[in-house]
Amino acid sequence: EFQLLFQGQTSPDSYADYPTYLLLEEGDIKAYVIFQRDFGRRTLRVKEFAGNRFLIRQMLTELLITMKKTSATIVMTPSDPLAGMMKQIPSQKTHLHASLKIVDFKGLMNDLNPYLNEKLGEESLEFVFEDFQDHFHIQWRNEVFSISNIFELNRLVFGPNQDLISQVTSRPFQNELKKIFPIPFVWVNNLNYQ
């Protein structure tokens, strides 16, 4: 089944191919990396990777040389262990807005009640979440934090959100928001889910 998955995972494009590398240790598959290799470009893009992060980091340079490319772009969550292994390499922050859109903020937060109770305990009852077209409000006790667009809301909920939370004037309110946001959601950057 694993081999069939790899054969069917990518479809041919006119602008790129998708080389897949299985990384082995003592004959066992420990990781894999799927690249997007654009024709005529000197850079690669890592489409998907999984497995032993140390092995992936160790093999990236060798894989670049094998494919005659000068650099690779890898999109990952900052908490991924691979990110910690690549601190000396230039990076930039991104967000999930291309992949996720919150359609019903109040409904989402209602569905997340068990998560809120786990993170906040009784304090979760003091939160009220509202959405009014393109404006979103989070009320905690007598304080209200307003967000003016869906892009900012996505950044608050899924991260990175430090700059948004720092806009809240009350330190206790900031601390409560940091307990719940960003929610621990699977990193789906550039995957197209319908």
Side-chain angles (χ1 to χ4, degrees):
E1 287 180 6
F2 197 61
Q3 290 179 0
L4 290 173
L5 170 70
F6 276 114
Q7 289 171 3
Q9 193 273 338
T10 56
S11 58
D13 283 311
S14 60
Y15 59 87
D17 64 357
Y18 301 91
T20 300
Y21 287 87
L22 301 178
L23 306 179
L24 308 174
E25 265 185 354
E26 299 177 11
D28 293 327
I29 298 172
K30 296 296 182 181
Y32 70 86
V33 182
I34 300 173
F35 292 97
Q36 176 179 321
R37 182 170 52 187
D38 292 329
F39 303 131
R41 297 192 67 192
R42 301 288 295 155
T43 62
L44 288 170
R45 184 171 183 283
V46 175
K47 292 279 290 176
E48 184 177 320
F49 64 96
N52 182 309
R53 299 310 200 252
F54 179 76
L55 190 57
I56 292 170
R57 173 64 182 103
Q58 187 178 15
M59 296 303 295
L60 273 177
T61 302
E62 189 174 323
L63 291 173
L64 283 171
I65 293 167
T66 299
M67 289 187 276
K68 298 180 173 79
K69 300 294 182 178
T70 57
S71 63
T73 300
I74 306 172
V75 179
M76 70 188 98
T77 177
S79 61
D80 192 297
L82 186 57
M85 296 176 200
M86 302 179 101
K87 286 189 187 267
Q88 73 281 7
I89 296 172
S91 66
Q92 65 185 42
K93 290 185 178 179
T94 186
H95 52 76
L96 291 172
H97 190 74
S99 301
L100 291 173
K101 182 175 183 181
I102 300 170
V103 178
D104 177 7
F105 178 54
K106 186 176 180 179
L108 172 67
M109 298 314 294
N110 284 337
D111 290 344
L112 290 175
N113 269 332
Y115 167 75
L116 296 175
N117 290 333
E118 176 187 320
K119 294 294 180 182
L120 301 172
E122 293 295 316
E123 289 288 317
S124 68
L125 299 174
E126 299 192 38
F127 271 88
V128 177
F129 303 96
E130 297 287 340
D131 49 8
F132 307 98
Q133 292 178 333
D134 287 336
H135 287 67
F136 310 92
H137 301 285
I138 301 171
Q139 181 175 338
W140 180 70
R141 297 184 178 163
N142 294 325
E143 302 179 61
V144 176
F145 177 46
S146 295
I147 298 171
S148 59
N149 64 58
I150 191 70
F151 295 99
E152 288 185 349
L153 181 66
N154 270 9
R155 282 184 33 240
L156 174 72
V157 174
F158 301 112
N161 63 17
Q162 297 83 356
D163 59 329
L164 286 171
I165 291 178
S166 68
Q167 294 174 18
V168 175
T169 54
S170 160
R171 180 73 64 190
F173 193 6
Q174 283 183 14
N175 291 338
E176 294 301 303
L177 288 172
K178 287 178 184 177
K179 289 179 185 176
I180 55 177
F181 297 122
I183 63 170
F185 193 75
V186 65
W187 184 253
V188 295
N189 189 277
N190 289 330
L191 296 177
N192 294 316
Y193 292 118
Q194 298 296 324

